[in-house]
Amino acid sequence: MSGPKVVRIVTVEEVIDICQGHLARLDQAIQQWQNSMDKINEQDEDFYKGIVKCRENFNQMLAEERFLDLQKLVPIEIDHLAEDIEQRKKDKIEQKIQQRIENRQLKENVKTILKSILDKNLSIPNDLDEKIQQIIKNDYQGNVNEVLNQAFLLLTPKQDNQLTDRQQALLDRMEIDNTKQTFHDWFKQQGQVLQRDPRIVQVDNYLSELALENIAIYEVFSNRLINIEKETQQSRQNLLLDSLILDLSKTVKETKERNALLNQLELILAELRQTTANPLNIDMQALDKATIQELKELINNCELQLTEIRQATIATYRQQTILQGLASLGYEVREGMQTQWAKEGKLVIRNPATPGYGIELAGKAENPRLQIRAVRFTATENRQRDTDIETLWCGDFGKLQTWLAKQGSELLLEKSLPIGQVALKQIVEVNESPQQGYTQTKYL
């Protein structure tokens, strides 16, 4: 069957270009992983060595022309890196949550022991009192446990003095089943009673997430919480706390979505830079003020540009490859034909070995499917000769497939009509155009 054919072409150049785009995204994903590790202050040399080894394997795949494997595995590796850093962030968030709980427990323990000291009318050294007040105001940067130890010693009765009723009561609180506890155990027990407000748990969770997503916004909300904790009127404090939780919930959601969109944009831009020397000029630093919707629109514009560039590049590869293949078989491929094909969406090429006959390529080159058919330039119809030409073209089509395969490209036959089933299309010549170097034709 070698009448009109519908074929699909995939060139090795376009496949390599696609693979290089995948690798550009992977390189950016690796950079994002490294940036995230710096952000959460972690190191994992073994994991990083695995990343480097994997990247080297992809280079080897490209060199060995294992294109399908590369296109399949690179996106998986990109997802793997994203999942790894997401898990590390979750672990770090849990650590921060626990740290906030412990800090709050220590702060409450300081308040508790301060109250006990004041209830006993004991004097507090000035330097210790200053540290205690700093802890209560969240301004202390030293070791809170050391301050607790110093304060607790004030409550410890001297061995040569008789215990007062209050001192004995305090010691009794530190005994369970006649087993004396250390003050660390006692403070731990106090903390278990203090952490009950579910709103505080929510705040700790949100702030811990925000600390990893955007430190500047985290500090704003952290200061709001400090001011709320200083509020003495309980009803007002409750209102402020509820408002804080609502704002935190919205901000954390938007911040995480924004960061995800920025990461997505970086991957697209990485492929764009690999594909074209003139990608969209984007100032990543200025995007901090962009809305979520503006980021989505920008991503959409970048994807459209990438698609357009990719299609234009693929069209050029396919045109060049087909024309080179036909030239290798003796067809008259001349300068300017590729431009004519791109402009008109079809191209007619002569074959000097069969005067009066040639072939027509129909279809936009960016479309992988093309129609190829034998045509005649004479007005006189000779059905036997036409049949012979289609038979010869059948042989040339097989040779064209073989030549393309040697270059690493594919020309796949998707549909073909039997020889002679459809009359050969007639192409009427209008005039010669020596300046352009090819014959202008009229399609009938």
Side-chain angles (χ1 to χ4, degrees):
M1 300 177 70
S2 202
K5 306 177 188 300
V6 176
V7 300
R8 182 164 58 88
I9 180 172
V10 180
T11 68
V12 65
E13 291 84 2
E14 69 185 76
V15 173
I16 291 175
D17 199 52
I18 291 172
C19 289
Q20 289 175 337
H22 277 59
L23 293 176
R25 289 191 179 227
L26 175 59
D27 290 337
Q28 182 60 45
I30 293 173
Q31 184 61 53
Q32 289 177 350
W33 183 88
Q34 291 175 307
N35 292 342
S36 296
M37 291 293 283
D38 292 339
K39 197 172 184 179
I40 64 177
N41 195 27
E42 280 194 14
Q43 292 183 345
D44 192 334
E45 289 298 326
D46 291 338
F47 191 90
Y48 180 71
K49 289 178 181 178
I51 294 176
V52 173
K53 180 63 177 176
C54 184
R55 184 63 178 83
E56 292 173 350
N57 289 340
F58 287 133
N59 284 338
Q60 187 65 27
M61 285 184 188
L62 187 61
E64 295 173 355
E65 299 185 355
R66 294 167 55 193
F67 304 130
L68 291 179
D69 288 342
L70 189 147
Q71 292 179 61
K72 176 182 177 181
L73 295 176
V74 168
I76 293 176
E77 178 63 15
I78 292 175
D79 289 342
H80 173 60
L81 291 173
E83 290 169 359
D84 177 78
I85 202 63
E86 190 64 27
Q87 184 58 53
R88 293 177 189 273
K89 287 172 64 176
K90 287 181 179 179
D91 294 341
K92 183 65 69 172
I93 288 171
E94 288 299 322
Q95 294 176 16
K96 286 183 173 295
I97 291 174
Q98 186 59 37
Q99 183 179 9
R100 292 186 64 84
I101 292 174
E102 292 174 357
N103 289 341
R104 183 169 287 108
Q105 289 176 341
L106 289 173
K107 177 180 174 180
E108 294 301 325
N109 288 335
V110 168
K111 291 181 179 179
T112 300
I113 201 170
L114 176 62
K115 183 177 183 302
S116 296
I117 292 173
L118 295 178
D119 287 345
K120 294 172 68 64
N121 294 320
L122 298 175
S123 62
I124 306 175
N126 292 335
D127 60 335
L128 179 59
D129 184 57
E130 182 178 355
K131 292 177 181 179
I132 290 175
Q133 296 306 319
Q134 288 177 348
I135 293 172
I136 294 175
K137 296 177 181 179
N138 296 312
D139 294 332
Y140 188 65
Q141 302 298 321
N143 189 324
V144 178
N145 279 315
E146 290 183 357
V147 177
L148 285 170
N149 186 31
Q150 296 174 28
F152 193 83
L153 289 176
L154 297 177
L155 295 174
T156 304
K158 302 295 183 179
Q159 292 184 359
D160 54 351
N161 294 335
Q162 185 177 359
L163 297 180
T164 65
D165 293 339
R166 288 185 177 181
Q167 290 172 335
Q168 186 61 53
L170 178 61
L171 290 178
D172 290 342
R173 289 183 60 194
M174 296 176 57
E175 293 187 17
I176 301 178
D177 296 333
N178 296 323
T179 301
K180 288 188 177 181
Q181 296 177 296
T182 66
F183 70 92
H184 296 288
D185 295 331
W186 179 74
F187 283 132
K188 183 177 180 181
Q189 185 183 45
Q190 300 304 308
Q192 291 172 351
V193 175
L194 294 170
Q195 297 303 313
R196 294 302 182 189
D197 191 339
R199 296 174 302 174
I200 295 299
V201 175
Q202 283 184 287
V203 170
D204 283 338
N205 291 347
Y206 286 138
L207 286 177
S208 297
E209 284 191 85
L210 207 50
L212 296 183
E213 298 291 343
N214 191 313
I215 189 64
I217 298 178
Y218 160 79
E219 291 176 351
V220 172
F221 279 97
S222 182
N223 289 332
R224 277 184 62 180
L225 177 61
I226 292 174
N227 291 330
I228 290 173
E229 291 177 334
K230 293 178 180 179
E231 178 60 48
T232 56
Q233 187 177 350
Q234 186 64 43
S235 59
R236 175 171 171 74
Q237 186 182 64
N238 289 335
L239 289 174
L240 292 174
L241 191 57
D242 290 338
S243 175
L244 177 66
I245 292 174
L246 290 175
D247 291 343
L248 272 172
S249 175
K250 179 181 178 181
T251 301
V252 169
K253 180 181 178 181
E254 290 180 350
T255 303
K256 292 173 70 174
E257 184 178 5
R258 172 187 294 277
N259 288 343
L261 290 172
L262 288 173
N263 286 340
Q264 182 182 353
L265 178 61
E266 288 177 348
L267 295 182
I268 297 172
L269 288 176
E271 185 172 359
L272 263 175
R273 295 187 185 99
Q274 185 277 326
T275 305
T276 177
N278 299 304
L280 292 175
N281 186 19
I282 298 176
D283 182 2
M284 297 298 292
Q285 298 298 326
L287 295 180
D288 289 341
K289 298 180 180 180
T291 65
I292 297 294
Q293 184 59 36
E294 288 172 340
L295 286 176
K296 290 180 178 179
E297 292 175 357
L298 181 57
I299 288 173
N300 184 58
N301 291 337
C302 288
E303 288 178 334
L304 288 175
Q305 184 190 27
L306 180 60
T307 299
E308 291 173 358
I309 293 173
R310 186 73 72 195
Q311 287 179 343
T313 303
I314 288 174
T316 300
Y317 288 147
R318 289 171 180 168
Q319 290 170 341
Q320 291 176 345
T321 300
I322 286 288
L323 293 177
Q324 288 171 2
L326 291 172
S328 71
L329 299 179
Y331 286 79
E332 291 184 355
V333 176
R334 300 177 181 178
E335 183 180 353
M337 282 188 168
Q338 185 174 333
T339 302
Q340 181 188 3
W341 186 1
K343 181 179 179 181
E344 300 180 4
K346 59 177 64 178
L347 181 68
V348 173
I349 305 177
R350 288 174 171 272
N351 185 354
T354 56
Y357 292 88
I359 62 168
E360 179 190 64
L361 307 171
K364 294 291 185 180
E366 59 266 23
N367 189 329
R369 290 173 176 80
L370 304 173
Q371 184 185 73
I372 308 179
R373 64 189 301 168
V375 295
R376 59 183 170 85
F377 303 110
T378 60
T380 304
E381 181 178 4
N382 184 332
R383 295 303 297 269
Q384 182 58 51
R385 179 59 175 161
D386 290 353
T387 300
D388 293 340
I389 291 299
E390 284 194 294
T391 302
L392 290 173
W393 164 236
C394 180
D396 283 349
F397 181 79
K399 293 176 183 178
L400 181 60
Q401 284 182 307
T402 300
W403 186 88
L404 291 173
K406 289 180 180 179
Q407 314 307 312
S409 302
E410 287 185 297
L411 184 63
L412 305 174
L413 180 63
E414 294 196 345
K415 183 179 180 181
S416 179
L417 297 178
I419 294 174
Q421 180 173 325
V422 178
L424 246 60
K425 185 176 182 179
Q426 180 188 353
I427 305 294
V428 178
E429 298 178 340
V430 178
N431 65 283
E432 290 288 329
S433 179
Q435 295 82 4
Q436 292 178 306
Y438 60 91
T439 302
Q440 295 180 337
T441 57
K442 180 179 180 181
Y443 299 91
L444 298 180

